[in-house]
Amino acid sequence: MHLSVVGSGYVGTTIAACFADLGHDVVNIDIDQNIVDAINAGEAPIHEDGLPELLKEHAGDDGTGRLRATTDYAALLDTDATFLCLPTPQNDDGSIDLSIMEAGAAQLGATLADKDDWHTVVVKSTVIPGTTEDTITPILETETEQSAGEDFGVGMNPEFLREGTAVHDFLDPDKVVLGADDEHALSDMHDVFDPLIDQTDAPVVETDTRTAEMIKYANNSFLAAKVSLINDIGNICKELGVDAYEVADAIGLDDRIGAQFLRSGLGWGGSCFPKDTAAIRAAARQYDYEPRMLDAATEVNDEQPKRLLSFMDDHVDVTNKRVAVLGLAFKPGTDDVRNSRAIPVIEGLQQRGAEIVAYDPIAAENMREHFPDIQYAESPAAALDGASAALVVTDWEEIALLDEEFDAMATPVVVDGRRAIDRRDGIVYEGLTW
Ligand code: UGA
């Protein structure tokens, strides 16, 4: 098929490259000329495992020619379907800001007004249930002066890609959700995904757009709440002198619980869990429903960095002392620091008047935008040298392997938020939930 993907963020670039890998002809449309140039040179504009290889294979002069990028919306006129992968930021009250989606849909509609043949528009971004039907479709109808379901199709295809493993997750999905409000759109979405479905045997869920939108929120809410529940249990374990990881290993053997997402510690960050749980909670309140479980999940998540800092306080007063923050990305494998637990940890250290030395293998530059005035070390050893405490925030392998580097600390107090560190002898070691 000939496909267009609007937006070249983590999701847009990844799916454009993966669609090309499935054999489709793809054009990726973005307003940022630098991103477009990178893709056309066969280079990845973001840090994502496996993406450089796919872009090299399918874009650029030496590629298969199945993927190109442009800033020109008119390129979508030569395609059969368009996937909308635009950002959905947060308003101050946590609710979803749809302005970029609305502007993108308007531009898409205005372009499609010149097309007489059928075209299917698929919403890929995470949007509150009803958005595709009640907001995007009417914009497209107004701009094209055509009718959805008769002249063009509308679908919703939520993504379950994790940052850092997005390419792998796309090519080996645990499900493919196809939401459509008309048969023609559903059939087009099948044409896009059938090569993937055939090669992976992934289960397919066919539904309407509203349900597809809710499936995405339910998926992320459930996982975020699962981590918060194991953190709640983990905090109790710590108080009672029990190792939460031993407990998690045992309960994870129960098929009804499952072994994944039971790693207790500093909690969840990133762009998705915090934003999606906030958006669905705000949407629930608009309908006068108090989402108590999801509120509590967020409260527990906010609590974990405070507990990490208080365990540090139990051992050392860090006022005017050097403290190493090990890891800044919201999880290993990414340079993304959005809502990273490192942010409240660093703020807590600033309130205590500590001299902060942070280390991350790839995310330091992004964190510098939040905290330009703290120190950034070139290696974990340099961060630890002379420090009175070390706080483990991200479980990068390089951090997990630290050992004799702790010997260079002024006072070897190590508070581990991710159960990353093996070393115990000769240091004061505190785990968050163990
Ligand atoms: C998440 C979902 O896992 C994806 O399915 C979804 O597509 C994506 O959001 C999205 O909506 O775009 P992501 O935010 O990339 O993906 O990261 P995860 O691997 O899910 O981790 C989220 C956070 O939970 C991280 O901060 C991680 O450290 C934390 N976590 C995860 C734990 O604290 N413990 C665990 O056991 C698992």
Side-chain angles (χ1 to χ4, degrees):
M1 274 188 107
H2 292 275
L3 301 175
S4 37
V5 175
V6 174
S8 304
Y10 283 97
V11 175
T13 312
T14 302
I15 70 160
C18 289
F19 281 156
D21 206 49
L22 290 177
H24 300 302
D25 279 312
V26 188
V27 58
N28 196 179
I29 301 168
D30 198 279
I31 50 166
D32 189 326
Q33 187 68 49
N34 290 334
I35 292 178
V36 165
D37 290 345
I39 294 171
N40 285 334
E43 289 162 13
I46 48 162
H47 182 89
E48 197 55 65
D49 197 34
L51 189 60
E53 291 80 2
L54 283 188
L55 289 173
K56 199 164 185 291
E57 193 177 342
H58 300 295
D61 292 339
D62 303 328
T64 58
R66 291 211 290 265
L67 174 61
R68 69 184 181 90
T70 178
T71 54
D72 184 6
Y73 266 69
L76 62 86
L77 290 170
D78 298 324
T79 67
D80 308 305
T82 302
F83 283 75
L84 267 181
C85 302
L86 290 169
T88 50
Q90 233 175 320
N91 291 314
D92 289 343
D93 64 353
S95 63
I96 191 168
D97 173 359
L98 283 177
S99 53
I100 300 173
M101 283 296 286
E102 288 168 357
Q107 200 164 350
L108 176 60
T111 310
L112 284 178
D114 294 333
K115 187 175 177 184
D116 294 327
D117 297 337
W118 178 271
H119 194 96
T120 287
V121 176
V122 183
V123 174
K124 188 85 184 164
S125 309
T126 301
V127 289
I128 294 293
T131 302
T132 300
E133 198 180 346
D134 302 334
T135 305
I136 304 299
T137 299
I139 292 174
L140 292 171
E141 288 187 319
T142 305
E143 295 293 333
T144 56
E145 296 182 1
Q146 297 173 8
S147 299
E150 286 173 30
D151 307 308
F152 66 91
V154 182
M156 202 282 152
N157 166 234
E159 56 85 12
F160 304 98
L161 312 177
R162 289 165 299 175
E163 281 181 35
T165 54
V167 170
H168 171 266
D169 290 345
F170 183 97
L171 295 172
D172 188 19
D174 55 15
K175 59 186 170 295
V176 175
V177 176
L178 305 179
D181 294 330
D182 66 88
E183 284 301 317
H184 200 152
L186 179 63
S187 138
D188 280 351
M189 290 165 87
H190 262 292
D191 288 346
V192 175
F193 284 101
D194 279 354
L196 178 68
I197 293 162
D198 290 346
Q199 81 191 32
T200 59
D201 265 343
V204 182
V205 178
E206 291 178 8
T207 186
D208 53 63
T209 57
R210 189 177 285 264
T211 310
E213 290 162 336
M214 190 63 203
I215 289 169
K216 171 60 191 265
Y217 278 105
N219 214 94
N220 270 1
S221 297
F222 211 96
L223 291 173
K226 186 175 182 185
V227 174
S228 282
L229 181 53
I230 197 65
N231 280 340
D232 208 20
I233 291 169
N235 293 340
I236 301 170
C237 286
K238 179 76 179 177
E239 296 301 327
L240 299 180
V242 174
D243 181 343
Y245 276 69
E246 256 190 73
V247 173
D249 283 348
I251 64 172
L253 295 171
D254 187 326
D255 280 344
R256 295 167 301 175
I257 295 173
Q260 292 190 59
F261 275 68
L262 286 181
R263 290 185 60 81
S264 54
L266 260 180
W268 31 272
S271 81
C272 305
F273 285 3
K275 184 157 69 84
D276 293 353
T277 48
I280 201 71
R281 285 162 62 218
R285 289 218 158 76
Q286 278 179 1
Y287 290 89
D288 291 329
Y289 178 73
E290 289 297 316
R292 289 185 293 271
M293 291 288 284
L294 293 180
D295 285 351
T298 305
E299 280 163 29
V300 171
N301 203 49
D302 291 341
E303 187 62 26
Q304 299 309 92
K306 294 180 192 151
R307 287 182 67 83
L308 184 91
L309 290 161
S310 85
F311 285 131
M312 175 192 73
D313 293 337
D314 289 345
H315 296 289
V316 57
D317 176 357
V318 295
T319 318
N320 294 324
K321 297 217 180 93
R322 188 176 162 95
V323 177
V325 176
L326 301 176
L328 298 169
F330 84 92
K331 65 173 183 179
T334 177
D335 61 356
D336 194 346
V337 299
R338 286 175 291 177
N339 285 301
S340 169
R341 303 291 77 201
I343 295 171
V345 167
I346 291 171
E347 285 168 351
L349 289 172
Q350 285 179 325
Q351 282 158 12
R352 286 163 173 77
E355 180 198 335
I356 302 159
V357 190
Y359 171 75
D360 191 284
I362 58 174
E365 279 317 301
N366 287 340
M367 196 54 104
R368 213 183 275 275
E369 289 170 24
H370 291 267
F371 298 106
D373 297 330
I374 66 170
Q375 296 173 50
Y376 293 89
E378 289 300 316
S379 68
L384 288 168
D385 195 11
S388 295
L391 304 179
V392 179
V393 172
T394 318
D395 42 345
W396 288 102
E397 201 183 347
E398 183 187 0
I399 290 171
L401 292 173
L402 290 172
D403 190 343
E404 68 265 17
E405 291 85 349
F406 293 117
D407 296 331
M409 295 177 71
T411 46
V413 173
V414 180
V415 190
D416 189 349
R418 298 291 181 189
R419 202 192 182 82
I421 307 296
D422 280 339
R423 165 89 180 259
R424 297 288 189 277
D425 295 342
I427 60 172
V428 178
Y429 178 89
E430 279 287 357
L432 202 50
T433 59
W434 60 95

